[in-house]
Amino acid sequence: MRSDAIKKGIDKAPHRSLLRALGYVDQELERPMIGVVNSFNEIVPGHIHLKDITEAVKAGVRLAGGTPVEFPAIAVCDGIAMNHSGMKYSLASRELIADSVEVMAEAHQFDGLVLVTSCDKVVPGMLMAAARLDIPAIVVSGGPMLAGRHGGQNVSLSTLFEAVGKVRAGNMTEEELSSLEDATCPGCGSCAGMFTANSMNCLTEVLGMALPGNGTIPAVSAARRRLAKLTGMQAVELVKSGICPSQILTEKAFANGLAVDMALGCSTNTVLHLPAIASEAGLTIDLDMINKVSESAPNLCKLSPMVGGHFIQDLDEAGGVPAVMAELARKNLINLDLPTVSGRTVGEIIKGRAITRPEVIRTVDNPYSPTGGIAILRGNLAPEGAVVKKAGVAPEMLSHSGPARVFDSEEEAVTAINGRKINKGDVIVIRYEGPRGGPGMREMLTPTATVMGLGLDRDVALITDGRFSGATRGASIGHVAPEAALGGPIAAVREGDIIDIDIPNNSINVRLTDAELEARLGEWKQPEPRVTKGYLVRYARMVTSAGNGAILRQD
């Protein structure tokens, strides 16, 4: 076993003495040592119950004859970090999580890992670590939050962000907002819509790195605890069989992931995370590959934050991720013979799985759209690409032309939107919020939700070199690359320039000639860095383009 490096032979007597100081007995030291990465903390709703989930995992490890060894990982709540400087740290935390898991696993030579996760950047960070380490590893999430109930309707966090805009527009009172605030998040779990956390937890299941149900079983249910226990048991089996992530995270597995991504209408942040995970596995997912999959994979679900959308608990009741995969398999969009951490192939997992609520999961014969929920746009404004959740765009905004309203930070844009200085037809441009320029590529749910709340979602587009929350909907185009801080074309846009957006034809352009763009960029000067000390300085120096997942340079 790998852990023999700290347990076996007379040279390891000092090591064993230290292990005995922890209370381990001989029988425990003879078993596989399974590192259990617990991302519990007391500030993230998706993680507040992970002590409970982790205890179930550890029980499963012991049941299967292993020795569980718990250690922590950090986690950021994107909702709490939203619309202030703290959001600069959210995407950047992904790399810290991956690095810290690597450090602990290598320093202590665990035989295998169970990665207990839940929210946003924690899921991809842990998957990146698993791919990098390539030792037996399995993921279990804390599960999705139940939807809140208010006024007889299901609600989620995106409802509340948009309600702020309604208050500013005079369409909701502050008392009504307060009542909604109390009801929106009813308890533990990752926020109830198909936002980034639930997107990544569903896709982890699709990639084969988690047991069926990982993405959809509610956080509060006993089934989630049973899943955690089974995950711990399976971790020991993975060690015994020698199954490692490199055997699971293959090119075909990522193709499955992208197909389900399109069917579910997942967060645009998946376009950052899947390439980053693939990179750690020695593979490349580029934006052209994403568009190619989107052309053939239909959009089968309208989940919150879509208008009238269902919630993750509905997806679970409808058959969950296996039912979606089984439906896509009818169109030969799923590779069936791939191994998974369950010990079964994809085909074996989805065999006989059927849609039980057709209003939640449509069939491939009756999709919401014959193409996927995400589109990559290119043009003279984004020669390296930009991303939009087209499943969340109003039909009349799929093609739009309008004057640019240019802002060099999220705060400037929010001030203008709240001040009712944005007009119908405008294209809001928020720049210098990319991976390097932000730094940290902040999610910007506040401006998009406020636009929705003001009732301008069918009239106004928003583009940025930053990114959007999974809770965002509307004509919100992010990840514009190259970013402004690198002298990308978005840095040359001026107030009043006409921007043409054509989502069906995957294009985004500013009405400037090549010569005009070149002349403007020739006058452009590198701005002063916004952060001058701490982790973000190093991050900004090392981070690469959003077009390849905002991974860090290795040179």
Side-chain angles (χ1 to χ4, degrees):
M1 291 187 293
R2 189 170 184 262
S3 61
D4 287 350
I6 64 169
K7 297 188 304 187
K8 296 292 186 180
I10 60 171
D11 291 342
K12 305 304 178 185
H15 305 64
R16 289 193 297 272
S17 181
L18 290 166
L19 292 170
R20 294 186 195 285
L22 298 168
Y24 289 116
V25 298
D26 288 345
Q27 290 86 341
E28 289 175 297
L29 297 182
E30 291 166 1
R31 298 173 177 178
M33 296 188 74
I34 308 298
V36 182
V37 191
N38 182 4
S39 54
F40 162 83
N41 63 44
E42 295 183 343
I43 192 65
V44 185
H47 293 243
I48 190 64
H49 63 305
L50 292 190
K51 283 184 178 179
D52 182 21
I53 300 299
T54 298
E55 286 303 318
V57 167
K58 289 158 67 176
V61 171
R62 294 188 184 101
L63 279 169
T67 298
V69 185
E70 180 183 339
F71 64 91
I74 64 169
V76 170
C77 178
D78 281 17
I80 295 174
M82 197 69 66
N83 69 32
H84 58 85
S85 61
M87 180 48 78
K88 295 177 185 290
Y89 288 87
S90 174
L91 180 60
S93 74
R94 185 186 72 180
E95 317 307 317
L96 289 175
I97 292 162
D99 290 350
S100 63
V101 173
E102 175 194 355
V103 167
M104 291 296 288
E106 290 289 14
H108 304 103
Q109 293 293 289
F110 296 120
D111 297 300
L113 293 173
V114 179
L115 304 159
V116 185
T117 181
S118 189
C119 290
D120 295 89
K121 313 311 162 293
V122 191
V123 187
M126 289 191 176
L127 283 171
M128 289 165 67
R132 184 188 304 172
L133 289 161
D134 202 29
I135 63 174
I138 185 170
V139 176
V140 64
S141 80
M145 184 185 293
L146 293 177
R149 292 286 294 174
H150 187 263
Q153 301 293 321
N154 284 342
V155 294
S156 69
L157 190 64
S158 61
T159 314
L160 194 56
F161 270 93
E162 292 176 12
V164 174
K166 291 181 181 179
V167 172
R168 294 189 183 281
N171 296 324
M172 179 182 281
T173 67
E174 290 190 33
E175 290 74 18
E176 289 171 327
L177 179 66
S178 179
S179 175
L180 179 61
E181 175 186 329
D182 288 341
T184 293
C185 297
C188 65
S190 47
C191 294
M194 188 53 78
F195 311 149
T196 304
N198 292 324
S199 294
M200 289 308 303
N201 284 318
C202 286
L203 295 185
T204 300
E205 187 177 332
V206 179
L207 291 173
M209 287 296 294
L211 297 180
N214 180 71
T216 59
I217 296 174
V220 296
S221 69
R224 175 59 59 177
R225 278 81 186 150
R226 294 194 295 270
L227 182 72
K229 199 169 292 185
L230 292 170
T231 297
M233 296 171 68
Q234 193 59 28
V236 178
E237 294 304 314
L238 290 171
V239 171
K240 291 178 179 178
S241 61
I243 301 298
C244 296
S246 59
Q247 296 163 263
I248 295 171
L249 292 174
T250 63
E251 187 173 340
K252 288 183 178 180
F254 282 101
N256 283 356
L258 288 172
V260 176
D261 191 343
M262 301 304 161
L264 291 175
C266 289
S267 164
T268 52
N269 282 313
T270 61
V271 177
L272 286 173
H273 300 323
L274 289 178
I277 298 163
S279 178
E280 294 287 357
L283 303 170
T284 299
I285 293 178
D286 59 28
L287 298 184
D288 291 330
M289 178 181 176
I290 293 169
N291 252 0
K292 184 176 180 180
V293 173
S294 182
E295 288 171 3
S296 58
N299 178 220
L300 305 181
C301 301
K302 288 287 188 185
L303 299 160
S304 174
M306 306 307 170
V307 177
H310 298 95
F311 295 81
I312 304 301
Q313 66 206 58
D314 299 306
L315 178 61
D316 190 60
E317 292 174 5
V321 171
V324 175
M325 296 179 73
E327 192 60 29
L328 291 173
R330 291 181 52 219
K331 201 177 177 183
N332 297 318
L333 292 170
I334 296 294
N335 297 290
L336 299 175
D337 59 347
L338 305 183
T340 72
V341 291
S342 71
R344 296 181 288 164
T345 65
V346 170
E348 289 169 337
I349 288 173
I350 69 174
K351 184 177 180 180
R353 299 299 291 262
I355 299 168
T356 57
R357 288 183 59 186
E359 77 278 14
V360 178
I361 306 172
R362 288 194 175 187
T363 67
V364 291
D365 303 315
N366 180 38
Y368 285 101
S369 167
T371 56
I374 291 176
I376 304 300
L377 313 183
R378 294 185 189 271
N380 70 352
L381 190 54
E384 293 180 7
V387 62
V388 62
K389 186 192 288 188
K390 69 177 181 181
V393 180
E396 56 266 49
M397 288 298 292
L398 289 170
S399 296
H400 178 78
S401 296
R405 302 296 308 281
V406 183
F407 305 95
D408 287 346
S409 70
E410 177 186 5
E411 287 83 359
E412 291 179 17
V414 170
T415 298
I417 296 168
N418 287 338
R420 312 296 291 273
K421 295 180 180 179
I422 301 300
N423 303 309
K424 290 185 177 182
D426 285 349
V427 178
I428 301 168
V429 178
I430 305 177
R431 61 191 180 191
Y432 296 105
E433 290 287 4
R436 181 172 296 186
M441 202 180 184
R442 286 192 287 182
E443 281 187 349
M444 288 181 277
L445 180 55
T446 296
T448 58
T450 305
V451 166
M452 296 292 300
L454 290 170
L456 294 173
D457 56 299
R458 296 177 182 270
D459 302 288
V460 170
L462 195 155
I463 67 173
T464 181
D465 54 7
R467 61 193 178 94
F468 296 114
S469 165
T472 290
R473 56 192 172 100
S476 303
I477 300 163
H479 307 197
V480 170
E483 61 175 293
L486 294 177
I490 192 172
V493 177
R494 294 176 182 170
E495 191 84 3
D497 286 344
I498 301 300
I499 293 175
D500 298 312
I501 300 166
D502 187 349
I503 296 173
N505 290 304
N506 302 98
S507 72
I508 182 168
N509 292 282
V510 58
R511 289 187 197 173
L512 296 173
T513 66
D514 291 345
E516 288 172 320
L517 269 175
E518 185 177 352
R520 289 189 186 182
L521 291 174
E523 300 171 0
W524 175 81
K525 294 181 180 179
Q526 182 78 40
E528 291 294 319
R530 289 174 169 169
V531 178
T532 57
K533 63 180 180 179
Y535 170 57
L536 288 178
V537 174
R538 286 178 281 133
Y539 181 82
R541 189 182 303 128
M542 298 176 68
V543 72
T544 61
S545 170
N548 61 8
I551 60 176
L552 299 187
R553 295 199 316 269
Q554 297 300 309
D555 55 347

